Structure formats: structure tokens, C-alpha cells
Amino acid sequence: MINNGDTAFVLAAAGLVLLMTPGLALFYGGMVRGKNVLGTFMQSLMMIALVSIEWVALGYTMSFGPDLHGVIGSLAWLGLNTVGAAPSPTYATTIPQSVFMIYQCMFAIITPALITGAIAERVRFAPFLVFALLWSLLVYNPVCHWVWGSGGWLAARGVLDFAGGLVVHLTSGAAALAAVLVIPPRSGFGKQSFMPHNLPMTVLGTGLLWFGWFGFNGGSALAANGIAATAFVSTHLAGMAGMAAWSLIEWAHRGKPTTLGAASGAVAGLATVTPAAGFVGPVPAILIGVIAGVICYNAVNFKNRIGLDDSLDVIGIHGVGGFVGTVCLGVFAAKAVNPAGADGLLAGNPAFLGRQIFGVMVVGAYAFVVSWVLLKVINAVMGLRVSSEAEVTGLDLHEHSETAYNN
Amino acid sequence: MINNGDTAFVLAAAGLVLLMTPGLALFYGGMVRGKNVLGTFMQSLMMIALVSIEWVALGYTMSFGPDLHGVIGSLAWLGLNTVGAAPSPTYATTIPQSVFMIYQCMFAIITPALITGAIAERVRFAPFLVFALLWSLLVYNPVCHWVWGSGGWLAARGVLDFAGGLVVHLTSGAAALAAVLVIPPRSGFGKQSFMPHNLPMTVLGTGLLWFGWFGFNGGSALAANGIAATAFVSTHLAGMAGMAAWSLIEWAHRGKPTTLGAASGAVAGLATVTPAAGFVGPVPAILIGVIAGVICYNAVNFKNRIGLDDSLDVIGIHGVGGFVGTVCLGVFAAKAVNPAGADGLLAGNPAFLGRQIFGVMVVGAYAFVVSWVLLKVINAVMGLRVSSEAEVTGLDLHEHSETAYNN
Amino acid sequence: MINNGDTAFVLAAAGLVLLMTPGLALFYGGMVRGKNVLGTFMQSLMMIALVSIEWVALGYTMSFGPDLHGVIGSLAWLGLNTVGAAPSPTYATTIPQSVFMIYQCMFAIITPALITGAIAERVRFAPFLVFALLWSLLVYNPVCHWVWGSGGWLAARGVLDFAGGLVVHLTSGAAALAAVLVIPPRSGFGKQSFMPHNLPMTVLGTGLLWFGWFGFNGGSALAANGIAATAFVSTHLAGMAGMAAWSLIEWAHRGKPTTLGAASGAVAGLATVTPAAGFVGPVPAILIGVIAGVICYNAVNFKNRIGLDDSLDVIGIHGVGGFVGTVCLGVFAAKAVNPAGADGLLAGNPAFLGRQIFGVMVVGAYAFVVSWVLLKVINAVMGLRVSSEAEVTGLDLHEHSETAYNN
Amino acid sequence: MKKIEAIIKPFKLDDVKEALNAKGIKGMTLSEVKGYGRQKGHKEIYRGAEYVVDFIPKVKLELIVEAEQVEEVIECIRQAALTGKIGDGKIFVLPVEDVIRVRTGEKGKSAI
Amino acid sequence: MKKIEAIIKPFKLDDVKEALNAKGIKGMTLSEVKGYGRQKGHKEIYRGAEYVVDFIPKVKLELIVEAEQVEEVIECIRQAALTGKIGDGKIFVLPVEDVIRVRTGEKGKSAI
Amino acid sequence: MKKIEAIIKPFKLDDVKEALNAKGIKGMTLSEVKGYGRQKGHKEIYRGAEYVVDFIPKVKLELIVEAEQVEEVIECIRQAALTGKIGDGKIFVLPVEDVIRVRTGEKGKSAI
Ligand SMILES: Nc1ncnc2c1ncn2[C@@H]1O[C@H](COP(=O)(O)OP(=O)(O)O)[C@@H](O)[C@H]1O
Ligand SMILES: Nc1ncnc2c1ncn2[C@@H]1O[C@H](COP(=O)(O)OP(=O)(O)O)[C@@H](O)[C@H]1O
Ligand SMILES: Nc1ncnc2c1ncn2[C@@H]1O[C@H](COP(=O)(O)OP(=O)(O)O)[C@@H](O)[C@H]1O
């Protein structure tokens, strides 16, 4: 039966998750040079159109439709067939199924948008759209089904992911790694410094992301209940702990705590706690945030040393965050917090940690390999990279015939 | 009886709709030149003060107070007399009437703010405020009563408008047309290009508008139920479809998809689905979005050809959107989706389409004529246009003694 | 028992109040010079990390834990011990206690962030963090307990504060006064003009603050009921009335209504109605907004005349607003509006006004004295002020090794 | 060869550019500057206080032209930039010793 | 007539303007530039990596003055702009052949 | 002493700076300008309409050098700034009568 409080809650959460995509566009857009800000925006924003269409046509049924061998949803709900105002008997049984569908749509939108940060300032718009579409079909939807779909094989094995550590962050991080290996660095990389053109924009984006993350994680309880409360609290605490940890380590390491560091640490904490949010209490959430800040800071620095042009650190923050968070859940999960969850290592159940590590390996490897193949093929057929002349001109003018700022 | 879930939902929605006014200010402000951004902001923001006062004093009772001959609400609820925490027996019966009142207030605020885009960069602040006040009293409140008021004559004739295709978008679009006819174009219009001074600001505004629109359309169900779900889903899908359609047509027509085009298409889709949101399923919603993108793109281009200085395209997007959406509702409405709605042309009921067209004609004509007369009179008495010297200086300095950016 | 509607509402409200901190960062950041914007951001943003940690460790139990002699909460809930998904029997009995805890956390975060406006552009980051931590422990938590804690002595005396006129605005305003007396003005103060570097940023911040304030005041009902409706309506009406009043008085006094004036008036109205929001009807709310606009405008002008460098007017807006609002509540409160409230002067109960004045005196004096001592000590030990060279360079580079804008 | 520097009102830039174009002058460099002179600055209001802002936005044009063109170019700019009100701007003429086109290495007149 | 170009530290602009004003110099044009010289640039941190930014914000003043005023104006600017620390800036003097006031068409000294 | 003004493509700035550095030239001032010349502007699209933007972002370098260095500096800049495509920019040489270092009051060559 429909519960109005739950429906209100998940609708609000869906709105919040939608807002994360412009939030991400601002977060990323502030970090690129002024000639690439609109191009960077477009890569995120256009996911709203592209993935929403894909989702209502195919994605929802592939992800959540009646299970086929644990691997994928059948096409029974093609084009939202039978998906209406009545609650699903399987998912989120106290809210209209259409609310569950649109809430999940917002997750499918932001996931490929996350990838764009890795290859910022150098990718052509059209081939990127082709990639994003195929990636949604071949990576996002299957993994989503495995982990969250009723009957999904990873779910059946007991792998847990509260709000998208595997489905969202690890898949996009693995794709980012593939993309950085396939697409050469920005010209001038390693010699020039590419300073952020507008850090206040990045801070604004961080604020909107944090705000939206309450919907992302809190809403994943799919009801306005104690689990939602647990997830909301964990989210906030891990975000703030990530921010604190990154800032302190940077202060110690470089002598100054930076604004971008604080923002990065916050996003690292928020991303890392995502798989665990509804399954752990406040103290583990803080620990997860601290771990996220420390590990992601080092991952980003390590990347700098090995010379990967993961321009806006998708691997180091989302990939590593999704990885670390899913494993941490294996350590910190406690049925005392959420009976629908699991007991982890610290609750005396190392087997669950093993399952989580297994989940990470499978999803990471699958997402990486498929992404790499997709990118290689698209690159061969269409050419993913802008010309060096276009790179000098900037994406805004070259790909969109616009300039961001005029006076 | 008060339902807490519904109350939570409509309060959240009211907050979201309020946020649309600063969102609109940013959307518009990014498109004007840097010397007019604050003036453009002020025209929207001050509606919060002006219209809120008008609404609690007179507007609410004129719009929703006890009906007088189908034409206007009586003054029984003057100054919110009797409007308190108890639910109304007529409107939104599961939430405090004060919640319904404040939710509707937010609609009354943004409607005149929409008009300002048509006459951006050239109108004096004081006479515009006078216009906005009189327009709220003489256009918004009556039309609101006709369409949404209990006993309103258009409602009685079966004209439907879920969340403001007629009441908000068509009235403001018709007023915009009148304004563009009364107030001469910006100096330099047709010779100079007036490039947007800050497109990221416009993109941010679009994000906030989209987010807010979930409250605007979803909240118009006035309860967190299946209708709200339908409206929420339609809103998102039409927004994304408008974005996709505008971008594709622009890509085909001009060779590049632009960021401003994507934003414009999104707003066109969102505006156009507004009257239909709670009455149609997802597939019609997508179609409405596509239709919106295509028609509004052409309307804006047509305007360019005939040389109207509808500076930020209020006619082409909101006027045309409100018109098209209301008519589309006549085509796509289905009682299967919302039993409280109607069956449209495709459900075998051409009569309903006729009623919708009638509604569009009446509201469009009424809003245009009254707006035109008001503008003519105010122009004669106070002079709406800034001096050409002030136009060179910019509204910010001339009207508000401020500059937006300093270093 | 947990009510899902109430839980959804307070979770949404908590998200909204969190958003106010980045909103405040933008509001303040737009008003400083471009070389100090990130430093200004950081002073607000880092409160999220610092105060959240303090809150879960100590703050929550000091503020709301089992009462010790009316003065402070005991340490029974140290580290959120026993604070989980079950509702508290004392506070917000229809939502998980963890929701109440995190909602209150957001208030504790923004309060010290408010202070930073008074001493913008000249304070070192590290000593400010030390001050903020000690201030939270020694000022915020005790005052919060006195006023809102079960058993708090001011609450026991019948002092009312709906959403933080005393606890948030007066404490931060009093601390701002202390800070301005201890920390010398910016160099060049009185000779140079420090024009806001980006007013659109300030307007955006205002929009986010207003939006968030619905959560701040509306959410303080701790349930989605009629009181929430009352608080929501009062908040909006006082905000708009403050905006209108400030704009009109400025128009009369200086010849032009400014954008910053409108924003300042709105914030003044919102801050001033905060203590009264759930206890007064719409007409008193409008009056409170008007009073706020008029008095705060004059307070800010008065400060200009006496040469205090309260850089972004924390005393004149938040301090005076908290003061005036709490006293106004003594005048306008009516049990007819909220039976859990009180009758004020106009309802024939001057004693309640006396109690409110007493509350203002006690809290104002306490917050001022403790803040002053803390600042003096920290200044002596660590030095609060940046060097004059660093002041020339700007906080962004000097304290954070960053620049906000590059091209 | 001479360098002409013209400080003009920003909204006159399009007119000046077109006038120069009509004369066949196709090369110039432009920058945003702030001017201080007889033209009074404007008043700004900041939270109820008034401030006078002295410096006024102007556009500076720099053109290298042949010596014999100087008079003509000056007149052309002057007419296009003229509003007759204070603050219309100034034109300065400076000597130039050499001009080099980066792309070709050409020098002197042919490099202009 | 001479053109004086002074590159100074931005926070000294108000002082320089007032000093020139006191000398009766009422016309000048100002622009934001970036300087490179002995003054060391600053370090910025970007996600844990350090970068050195070489160019430092400066303000450039351009004044046309009569030849006999040059010494006095230079000294005036120099004193007002002086902090004694590296990076205080430079003053250049260039010859000017003519000055025209757009508004009136006046030329030479009377146009300054 | 001479003043060298070079208008170059912005993305060549780092190369030019390094080349000058290698030659021991350690002082210069830079500003953002917009150029108009043979290089065609670009097309922008605004809500379905096309506009041509004529002015193209360039960077202007100003260097005061000793007269004997002029040739070498010009060549150095030219080579570092060269792409061979239209719009590579121009270099102008102007006479300078005096240079003063604000910090020390030094004049002439030693102030460069
Ligand atoms: N002596 C000068 N040196 C450099 N620039 C000057 C000088 N005098 C005026 N200017 C520039 O010319 C502009 C117009 O000068 P102003 O005195 O305001 O008007 P007008 O030339 O019409 O009398 C100023 O804003 C300033 O940029
Ligand atoms: N040769 C030069 N040509 C042009 N500008 C110069 C030259 N040398 C210095 N400058 C300008 O003067 C500023 C100050 O010079 P710098 O060498 O840093 O300090 P100082 O003059 O005190 O030794 C530089 O930032 C630059 O803008
Ligand atoms: N006569 C001129 N005076 C001043 N600047 C010029 C002149 N001609 C060209 N420029 C500057 O040089 C830049 C390059 O010139 P352009 O004609 O586009 O290319 P090229 O020099 O390769 O033929 C222009 O953008 C402009 O900034």
C-alpha cells in the first residue's frame, strides 16, 4: 500500500539526485579552464536527456525487470510497460513503482556523467554520447541488475551495496581508468599547469552534491524510516570526516589546507560511504570518511607521480572510493544497525568481507574490460579526441560554438 | 484530516517553487550583458516581496476565495482571514490551508517574474513594479480563479490545467508579447549582438529551475500520491525530451548543439508539460517534450526573423509552451492515467481538445489585452523605458547604483 | 512511534539546513574582495567538519543530554551513545532520535559560520578553527541547553525561541561584536571602499539561504503539522517583508534600491522571525519582517558611523535580528496560533515580554563575555590576525595557496 | 610608422571598428582599461553607504599605421567615437621604429 | 609631450592616484596586467600537487604629460608606490608626438 | 632602450616566456588583449541565430630592453610564438627615453 510519507520522501530524494547532475557539472566545470567549461557542462547535462530516454525505453527493464538467470532483467517492462502508480510487489513496496523507476533513473544519469571528469578538456561530444549510451546498456544496466535487481547474481551471493558503491562509483571509476588509458593526455600535460578557472563554481557544485547526496543515500532506504535516518547520518558524517581528513593530511604534507582539498575530501567521503550508508552506525561512518580522505588523497598524488592524466580525479576519488567503501562495508557492517544488512568482519563474520571483495573484483574487472573495448572501438570508428587545434581553441567554441563569459 | 506525508510533500514543494524565482533570476541574468545582471535579478527577486504582500492581502482571496459568478473570488478571505492550519474543505483537504495558500503564493510570484525576460535590459524598475502589481491583480488572480478556483468558469467548462500552462505560462507569454509590442527594442538591436555575459550562470539557473519544477508540477497533486508520481515523472521526461529535441534540431540546423540550446529546450519541455503533467503517462510526456523542443526552437527563430526584441524569449518558450502544452493535453489526456482528469482526442474525445483550445484562446486573449492596456497606460504616465544614456550605462548602475563584479 | 511523514519532513529539513552553510559561504564570499573569497568560504565550510565532529562527540549530549541543574546536558550520550533510530521520549517523539540529532547538528554548524562575516578578510585560519571549536563547546552548547534542552533553565523560566533567535542569531551576533572589538579593522578601512567582488554570488547565496530557511524554521516544528505550516508561512512572509522594508527605506534614503539591500533585508527578516516563526500568525510575521528591515538598516548605518569594521554586518543583521525577533515574540506571541507557545504583550500578557527580554539579556551577555575572553586568549597565544603583508596578498593565496579565478 | 592609441567609450567600439574597416584599416588590438579624467565617476551604494567610484570603464585601441595615414585614421576614430559629452576619450600618437609579422618575419610597412 | 607608463603593485593604486591628484594630474588610464621580474611568483596547491605561478598581478598606469612635468610626475608616482620590497615596479617614459581630445578635436598640450 | 610589444597567441605564452628566460630576459609585463586582423573571427550560436565574433583573444607582452638586444629578443619571441598560421601576431618596437625602478630609484639601463 502506498505510504504518503515514504512517497514524499522518495520523490524529494529523486529531485535531490537529479540536482546532483548539474551539481557535478559545476564541480567539474570549475576545475577546467575557462574555454572548456561549457563543453564540460554539456558532457554531464546531456546525460539527463540521453540516459533518461535509454532508461525508460530499456534501462529500467534491463536493470529491474523480471530476472533472467541472475544476469539481466527481461524486456517485460520495455518502455515502462506496466510500470505505473501501483507499487511494485518486489521493490519499494510502499511507494508507486513509477517513483522507484524515476528515482533509479537519476542514478543511471549521473553515473556516466562521473566518467567525464577523467577525460575532461579533450573529448569530442558526439563520440562521447555514443560511448555513454552503449556504456549504460552494457555496463550500468547489467551491474545494476546483478547488485540491486531482484534475482541478480551478486545480490544472491550476498554482496551488498546500499546506494551505489559498486553500481555507481566503482563502475564509473573503472571506466575512467579505461578512458585514461585509451585517450592520450591533454596537450601540455606534465609541462603546463591546468589551474581551475573558477574554484567558487567547484565549491558551489560541492555544496549541491552534498545536499543531493542526502537523497542519493538517504533515499536508497526507499522509505522515510530508521534506515533512511541511518543512511542520512552516515552520509553526513563520512562527508565531513573525509573533508577533515583530506584537509589535515594536505596541511601536514603541503603546509596549507586548500579549498579544493576540502571539497575533494568531502566528495571522497561521500562516495566512499555510499555502499555502506544504511548498514553502519555513526562511528564506522566517521572512520570510513577518514579512511576515504587518507586513501583518496594518496591515490590522487600517486596518479600525479605516474603521469596519468585523470584530469579531475575520477579514478582516485570515485573508483578508489567505491572500492574502499565496498570493502569497508565488509568490515563494519552490523545487523544490529540494519537487520536487513549483514554482519561484517568486526561483527565476527569475515565471510561477508570476502563476499564484498569478490563483488569489487567482479564489478571492477567487468566495468573496466567492457569500457576499454567500447572506447577502443569507438575511437577507431569515430575518433574520441578533439584535434590539437580544437584543444587550443577549447571545447566551448569548437564543439558548441559558444563562449562561457563575455562582457 | 491532515496527512503528515502530504503536508511534508507540499511544504517541500512550496520551498522548491520559491527556489525557482532565484533560479529564474540566474537563468535570465546569465543571458544579459554584465552591466544589466543585477537589474535583471531585481526584477525577478522583487516579485517575492511585491507579490507575496499582494497575495496575502488580496490575491489569495481573489483567486481561491468563495466564488462570485465564476469570475473572481470574493473578498471573504481578505488578509488571510480564516486561512489557518485547518485544511480547506475545498482545496487540498489533507493539508493545512495555510500550506495550500503559501504554495499557491509561490506560483503567483514567479509568473510576473517570467515576463521580465521579454523586456530585459531596458525597463525602469519603478514602473515595472507598478505594472507587476496591477498585472497580478487584473490578470493573474482572475485567470487563476477561472481555471483553479472552486467555481471558476473555465474549470466549470471542463478546461484543465494541471500546474499552470494557462495560469502561469500562457498569461506571462501573452503579457510578454504585449510588452514587446509596447516597449521598443534595445538600442543596437539587430546590429549588435547581445551575447550572454555568463552562460554558467544560466546553466545553474536551469538546474535550479528543473529541480524546482518537481515541486511546481509534482506538488500540484497537493498530496504525495500516485498523481504526484505521474506528474513528477512527466515533468522529468518532458524536460529531458525538450532538451534532446532542441539540441538535435540545432545540431542539424546550425552544425553544433549549444549549451544554451540544451538549457532552452529543457525549459521549453518543462513549461510545455506543465498543464499536462498529472494527466498523462510517460510516453505522451516524452512526446510533449519533443514537440516543445521543435516548436519552441522554431518560434524563437521565427521571432529572430521578424525582428521582435523578445530579449530572452519569453514568448517563444513560455507563451508558445503554455499554448502548445494546453492543447497537447487535449490530445493526450487519459482518464486511465488520472481519473480526475479527462479523456483527450487520442482517447476518443475530441470535445475535450476543443475545450482546451477554447481555454487557450480565452486566457491568451484576455492576458494579452489587459497587459497591453496596462503597459500603455503606465508607459504614458511613468515611462517604462530607461533613457538611452541609462541603457548605455546599464541597469545595474543606473537603477540600483551597483556593479555586479569588482576586483 | 515513528511517523513517516514527519521523518521525511525533518530529514528534508536537515538537508536544507546543511545547504545553508554553503549558501552562507556564497552570501559572504560574494561580498569580499576576489582575493579573499576562498578564505571566506573555508571559514564557513570547515565548520561542517569541525562542528559535526564536536557535535557527535560532545555537543549533542551537552545540549540535549539528560539535564544537570538546568545548566548543561550530562555526558550520558557521549559519542551518540544510545542515540539511534528509536525516537527520543523527550524530543521529537515521532521521528528517529538520530534524525533529531543530525537536524540539530546542522544548526550547530551554521552558528559559528555566521560569526565569520564580522571579521572577514583578516583572520588566520588555524586560530579561527580553535576559536570555533571552543566557542561551540562553551557558548553554543550551553545556550542551546538552556533554551531548548529538556530541563534547561531559560526554558524552565518560560523563555521561548522557536528556531534559534537566541541560540543561533543572538549568540553569533554577540560573538561578532566581541570579535570586532578584539580584532582590529581591515587595513585601509575607512579610507578605501571594499566593494563586493561578485554580487551575483551573494544573490545566489541569498536564494539558497531563503530556501534553506524553510527547513530551519519549518523543520523546527519537528513534524509535518500545522505548526510547521505556521512556521513556514511566517518565515516566507517575514523574509519578503524585510526585503521590501529595507529596499523602500534605502530607496527613500539613498535614492536607489540596491540588490544587496534587498538581499540584506531578506536575511534580516528571515533571521528576525526565526525565534517567533511557529508562534505567530501571518500578520505579525509581516510586521516582524518590516521591523527587521527598518531596524537592521539603521543598525548597519549606525555601525558605519561609529567606525566598527563588522565587515559583512553580522552584528547589525544577525545580532540585532536575534535580539529584535526574540523581543517581538514577546509582543506578538499568541496561544491561539500555537497552544504550545505563549501569549505575548498584545494578547494581554506583558509578563511574557519580560521573560523574553530577560532571555535576550542573559544570552547576549553570556555569549559576548565568553566570546571576548576566548578571543583575547587565543589572540594572545596564537595571534588571530593575518600579517599586513598577507592581508595585501589575500587570504586565498596566503592561507590556502590558491586563487579563486584563473584564465 | 606610428602607433595610435585611442581611449574610447566602450559602447562606441562597434562604430569605430566599422568606420576603420570602411577606411581599409584591418588590423588593431583592443584592451579593456579604466579611465580617470574630467568625466565624473559614479556613485555606488553598499549597504546604505555611498561610495564614489572614480575609474570608468573604457576601451583602448592600439593601431600601427603608416605615417601618412595618421591624420586620416585619427579623424576617422574621432568621428566614430564622438558623442560630444565629457569622457569621449583621447587619441595619442607615438613613434614606432619597427614592426615584425610573427608568421612571415616580414618587417616594416609590409608587416602592418 | 611624454607618455609615462608605470607598473605598480595593485594595492598602491589608491595612494598613487591621490598623490597625482594632489599634484594636479587629473588624467590617466589604468589597466590590469601581470608582471614578471625579480619578484618571485607564488606557489599554488592543486589537489596535493604544487605549482609555481610566475606572473604576478600588477596595475599599469598610462599618463600623457607635458615634457616639463615628467620628472615631477615620476617622482610623485615613485614615492607613492614605494614599499621598498622587490616587485615595486617600473616607470617608463616614451615620446609622444600628438594628443587629440575626441570630444573637442583639440590637439597637443591643450588636449592632455 | 627600446620597448618591444609583442601580440601573440595565448597558448604560446609559456613557450615565449621560456625562450626569453633562456636568453636571460627576466623582466616583462603581460596583458590580455583582443586582436583584429586577417585571422577570421569565429562563429557563435545564440538560440539558433549565428553571430560572428571578430575579436580574438591574444596576449600582449611588453618588454623594455637595451637597444642592442632588440634584434635578438625579436627573433627569440618570433621563433617561440610561431605556428605558421594566420594570426600569429605582431611585434612592435618603440623608442623609450627613460626607465626608472620604483624600488631603488635607479634610472636607465640599470633599471631594466
Ligand atoms: N593625460 C592623460 N593620460 C592618459 N589618459 C588620459 C589622460 N587624460 C584623459 N585620459 C583618458 O581619457 C579619458 C577621457 O578623458 P576625460 O577627461 O574624462 O574626458 P574629455 O577628454 O572628454 O575631457 C579618461 O577616462 C582617460 O582614460
Ligand atoms: N624589462 C622589463 N620590461 C617590462 N616590464 C618589466 C621589466 N622588468 C620589470 N618589469 C615589470 O616590473 C615589475 C617589477 O619588476 P621586478 O623585477 O619584479 O621588481 P623590481 O623592479 O623591484 O626589481 C614586473 O613585475 C614587471 O611587470
Ligand atoms: N596594424 C595593427 N595594429 C595593431 N595590432 C595589429 C595590427 N595588425 C595586426 N595586429 C594584431 O596582430 C594580430 C595578428 O594579426 P593577423 O592579421 O590576424 O595575423 P597575421 O599577422 O599572421 O597576418 C591581430 O589579432 C592584432 O591583435
Side-chain angles (χ1 to χ4, degrees), chain A residues 211-251:
Chain A
F211 180 53
W213 231 298
F214 290 133
F216 199 93
N217 289 358
S220 286
L222 298 166
N225 55 19
I227 306 299
T230 299
F232 190 105
V233 170
S234 301
T235 302
H236 179 72
L237 294 182
M240 71 84 190
M243 186 180 178
W246 187 301
S247 297
L248 286 173
I249 197 172
E250 193 175 44
W251 209 336

Side-chain angles (χ1 to χ4, degrees), chain B residues 4 45 52 398 400 402 404 406, chain C residues 6 196 199 236 243 256-257 259:
Chain B
N4 293 37
L45 295 180
S52 295
H398 197 267
H400 307 292
E402 293 180 298
N406 293 291
Chain C
D6 292 345
L199 279 175
H236 180 71
M243 187 180 177
K256 295 279 166 66
T259 314

Side-chain angles (χ1 to χ4, degrees), chain B residues 372-384:
Chain B
W372 193 86
V373 171
L374 276 178
L375 288 161
K376 275 291 184 190
V377 171
I378 293 170
N379 201 21
V381 177
M382 302 178 73
L384 277 159

Side-chain angles (χ1 to χ4, degrees), chain A residues 17 19 176 180 349-350:
Chain A
V17 183
L19 184 65
V180 167
N349 181 14

Side-chain angles (χ1 to χ4, degrees), chain A residues 5-6 9 195-200 203-204 210-211 214 224 229 232 236-237 240 243 247 256-260, chain C residues 4 7 11 15 18 38 41-42 45-46 48-49 52-53 98-99 106 201 204 398-402 404-406:
Chain A
D6 293 345
F9 183 64
M195 301 311 275
H197 91 288
N198 193 325
L199 279 175
V203 169
L204 169 61
W210 195 315
F211 180 53
F214 290 133
F232 190 105
H236 179 72
L237 294 182
M240 71 84 190
M243 186 180 178
S247 297
K256 295 277 166 68
T258 65
T259 314
L260 183 60
Chain C
N4 293 36
T7 304
L11 281 176
L18 181 276
L38 299 176
F41 281 3
M42 280 293 264
L45 295 180
M46 204 46 82
I48 301 179
S52 295
I53 296 201
S98 56
V99 173
M106 305 310 185
M201 184 183 281
L204 168 61
H398 197 266
E399 296 290 298
H400 307 292
S401 289
E402 295 180 297
Y405 308 102
N406 293 291

Side-chain angles (χ1 to χ4, degrees), chain D residues 27-29 62 64 101 103, chain F residues 35-39 58 87 90:
Chain D
M28 69 189 93
T29 300
E62 298 175 77
I64 309 296
R101 189 191 309 280
R103 173 164 49 89
Chain F
Y36 184 75
R38 282 175 221 210
Q39 186 186 5
K58 300 276 172 192
K90 300 269 159 84

Side-chain angles (χ1 to χ4, degrees), chain A residues 283-310:
Chain A
V283 177
I286 294 174
L287 291 176
I288 289 174
V290 170
I291 293 168
V294 172
I295 295 190
C296 293
Y297 180 84
N298 283 294
V300 165
N301 270 272
F302 177 71
K303 169 217 74 169
N304 282 341
R305 278 202 299 282
I306 63 173
L308 277 187
D309 188 15
D310 177 6

Side-chain angles (χ1 to χ4, degrees), chain E residues 35-36 38-39 58 87 90, chain F residues 27-29 62 64 101 103:
Chain E
Y36 183 76
R38 281 176 220 206
Q39 187 185 3
K58 301 276 172 191
K90 299 270 161 83
Chain F
M28 70 188 95
T29 300
E62 299 175 78
I64 308 297
R101 188 191 310 280
R103 175 165 48 90

